[in-house]
Each structure stands twice: as structure tokens, then as C-alpha cells.
Amino acid sequence: QVQLVESGGGSVQAGGSLRLSCTASGDTYSSMGWFRQAPGKEREGVATIYGNEGTTYYTDSVKGRFSISRGNARNMLYLQMNSLKPEDTAMYYCAAASFVGSWINRLSPKNFAYWGQGTQVTVSS
């Protein structure tokens, strides 16, 4: 049974840091990513990681501040978030897929079939 469980969200002041974790079970995932959705906005790709080589992609607004990584056991996914800003406030979701497709947009939610329930991140000014 496919299951993705996120943890590590919370409330932090601007400039602070959080580390999100995702525990994956039920399959071997070649593609994984973090997405976020703020109230009234569409879900957007934050960071994704593909294949054994671990090629990463980031949305422009988080480049230099966030870092995506996978654990050695490859069933763990992390998002280290530094220098957080109020505009980073959102529900953050872990996503996974069993293969690496020839997708043009490497940050599209459409690339991923499996989703966690989300963890809330709130950044206050």
C-alpha cells in the first residue's frame, strides 16, 4: 500500500529554518518532490528530485534557500528550508512517482501519482 507521511512543519518567524521529512512506503520511487499550496492558490512545485543520480529542480523563489534530498535508504525525502519568508506560508505536500518520465516541466504536480496529506508551514513577519 502506497503511503507518504510528512512531518516537520510548524510556525516560525521570518528568517528561521525548518526541515520537512517524508516517509515513503509501499513502492520504490524514482521521482519525488515537495509541493505547496496556499489558500486560494494553485498547488506549485517547490523542489523535485529524479532518478538514481538525484537531479534536482527548484522553483525560482526558493533557490539558494531550500534544499531537497533523499535519505540513504531512499524511502525518506527531506526539504531543508532556510531564510524562510512569510510568502513561504502554505501546506506542504510530499509526492512520488515510480518512474522518471520525459516530462518537460520537472516541477509539475502532474508528474506525480502519489501524495501525502500535507504538513502546514507558517512563517510570521
Side-chain angles (χ1 to χ4, degrees):
Q1 181 179 357
V2 173
Q3 189 172 24
L4 303 175
V5 180
E6 304 96 336
S7 62
S11 297
V12 65
Q13 288 191 328
S17 298
L18 285 173
R19 188 190 194 210
L20 304 184
S21 299
C22 173
T23 303
S25 60
D27 200 349
T28 300
Y29 305 106
S30 297
S31 305
M32 298 192 77
W34 289 99
F35 294 78
R36 66 187 179 188
Q37 188 167 16
K41 295 187 177 181
E42 292 186 355
R43 188 169 297 189
E44 67 165 341
V46 176
T48 54
I49 185 166
Y50 293 96
N52 292 330
E53 64 275 17
T55 304
T56 58
Y57 300 83
Y58 296 91
T59 192
D60 287 345
S61 63
V62 308
K63 286 180 181 177
R65 300 189 297 123
F66 290 12
S67 177
I68 188 172
S69 62
R70 297 187 68 166
N72 290 335
R74 297 186 65 78
N75 69 323
M76 294 295 299
L77 181 71
Y78 303 100
L79 184 68
Q80 179 65 44
M81 304 187 295
N82 299 325
S83 302
L84 282 160
K85 303 176 180 180
E87 50 264 43
D88 294 319
T89 295
M91 185 71 77
Y92 282 71
Y93 298 91
C94 173
S98 301
F99 62 98
V100 180
S102 56
W103 305 299
I104 295 175
N105 182 355
R106 294 291 180 167
L107 289 168
S108 173
K110 296 179 181 179
N111 300 348
F112 298 89
Y114 308 115
W115 293 84
Q117 294 299 307
T119 185
Q120 178 68 37
V121 172
T122 302
V123 184
S124 58
S125 58

